[in-house]
Amino acid sequence: MFIKVFISGDIIEVKEYSRLNTAQNTIDYENRAALGDGLENELNYKRRNQLRRDTIRRLVCHNFDKSSKFVTLTFRDTNDFDIKDPIACNAAFGLFRKRLKRKYGNVKHLTVIEFQDKNDRGAVHFHCFFQLPYVPVKELEELWGYGFVFINAIDHVDNLGAYVIKYMTKDTEDPRLKGIKAYNCSRNLTRFTELSSWKVGQDKKILKLIEDLKQNTPVYSAKYDSEDAGSVKYLQFNLNRKNK
């Protein structure tokens, strides 16, 4: 049995594998282009997208909390660039980040792209976490400069990572995002902790953590079969929630 643990703030995930997942431990799907073409290419693309979503979720949980600002940035139709083009919109966001930094310093942020497809408009908008003090919406809208700004209440949310993922493009194979980073984040974010039982010195830490977690009830569990890892058991704990 092989065990991997992710600790992202108050969210702890435990994965148990019946065999070592060599495929996903030898290829960096987040930063390396898909290998081959056809079915293999499609499989690698799906894996990279799943890893991307998991990375976003964990980074959010590890770096932001209820005191952070969850902001939606929209584009008006009168902008002088294609508001359906994520590359052009990412460039606009980069300029906004420079203005934000000049005014508020090196603000922590993580941003994901979504397309406004419900009304066939197809425009890009951004969902962002910012570690900001109180800022009036009007002031933030002036800094943004490309459209409306909405600040969403998150004081009721105890898993911010899961919350932001639901705003990401539902179809992870959306051709509009192929070859484009679906999220961007500031360099001052801290990395979540990842422990693997097959790495020297980490097995004892994992066993102690699992022992400590016995007093907690998982908020989510699943079992499934993986071509690479055999049978997999997944448990997620949320330390924000009272034990059942």
Side-chain angles (χ1 to χ4, degrees):
M1 182 67 68
F2 301 92
I3 303 174
K4 179 171 279 192
V5 174
F6 298 93
I7 305 173
S8 315
D10 289 320
I11 306 299
I12 300 176
E13 302 165 84
V14 180
K15 279 188 173 183
E16 298 179 0
Y17 308 93
S18 65
R19 64 174 180 265
L20 187 59
N21 190 355
T22 53
Q24 290 194 19
N25 280 287
T26 55
I27 299 175
D28 182 356
Y29 290 111
E30 178 64 10
N31 299 308
R32 188 172 169 184
L35 303 176
D37 49 24
L39 184 60
E40 183 182 7
N41 191 35
E42 181 181 353
L43 179 61
N44 286 335
Y45 179 69
K46 288 180 178 179
R47 283 175 172 167
R48 290 199 315 279
N49 272 285
Q50 185 58 53
L51 179 58
R52 183 181 294 118
R53 294 172 73 89
D54 289 341
T55 299
I56 291 169
R57 178 169 53 80
R58 291 166 184 149
L59 283 173
V60 168
C61 288
H62 197 64
N63 288 277
F64 301 96
D65 55 31
K66 294 179 181 181
S67 68
S68 307
K69 303 292 187 294
F70 184 56
V71 178
T72 301
L73 306 173
T74 68
F75 290 93
R76 68 175 73 90
D77 292 324
T78 53
N79 284 295
D80 58 357
F81 53 87
D82 185 358
I83 61 174
K84 297 181 182 181
D85 179 4
I87 295 177
C89 293
N90 277 339
F93 181 83
L95 295 175
F96 162 69
R97 273 285 294 130
K98 290 180 181 178
R99 294 192 290 271
L100 194 71
K101 185 176 182 179
R102 283 197 295 268
K103 189 170 183 64
Y104 293 105
N106 196 19
V107 175
K108 277 188 175 184
H109 84 89
L110 186 146
T111 303
V112 299
I113 293 175
E114 188 180 30
F115 295 96
Q116 189 178 350
D117 288 335
K118 289 184 178 179
N119 58 1
D120 296 324
R121 186 167 178 249
V124 167
H125 53 274
F126 295 111
H127 297 291
C128 317
F129 276 103
F130 291 111
Q131 199 62 51
L132 276 169
Y134 170 75
V135 181
V137 176
K138 205 68 179 173
E139 182 176 313
L140 201 57
E141 205 164 80
E142 288 175 2
L143 275 176
W144 170 235
Y146 301 109
F148 292 112
V149 170
F150 303 94
I151 299 179
N152 308 74
I154 56 172
D155 55 344
H156 63 291
V157 182
D158 66 4
N159 188 333
L160 295 177
Y163 183 74
V164 73
I165 284 297
K166 73 178 184 179
Y167 285 98
M168 292 185 69
T169 301
K170 305 303 184 295
D171 182 4
T172 56
E173 298 176 42
D174 192 319
R176 292 172 292 186
L177 288 180
K178 281 194 175 181
I180 299 170
K181 200 165 186 180
Y183 76 100
N184 66 72
C185 58
S186 55
R187 293 182 179 180
N188 57 351
L189 295 191
T190 54
R191 182 77 178 180
F192 50 86
T193 300
E194 182 176 339
L195 301 172
S196 303
S197 63
W198 56 89
K199 293 184 178 179
V200 177
Q202 295 188 3
D203 52 341
K204 291 183 179 179
K205 292 181 181 180
I206 290 175
L207 291 175
K208 184 181 184 305
L209 179 63
I210 290 175
E211 183 64 29
D212 292 341
L213 285 172
K214 286 183 178 178
Q215 60 184 324
N216 294 77
T217 302
V219 295
Y220 178 77
S221 63
K223 291 182 179 180
Y224 57 92
D225 292 322
S226 166
E227 183 178 346
D228 299 319
S231 59
V232 181
K233 180 181 179 181
Y234 173 87
L235 298 173
Q236 185 180 117
F237 299 86
N238 187 336
L239 303 186
N240 285 311
R241 300 184 187 179
K242 295 180 179 179
N243 296 338
K244 296 183 180 178

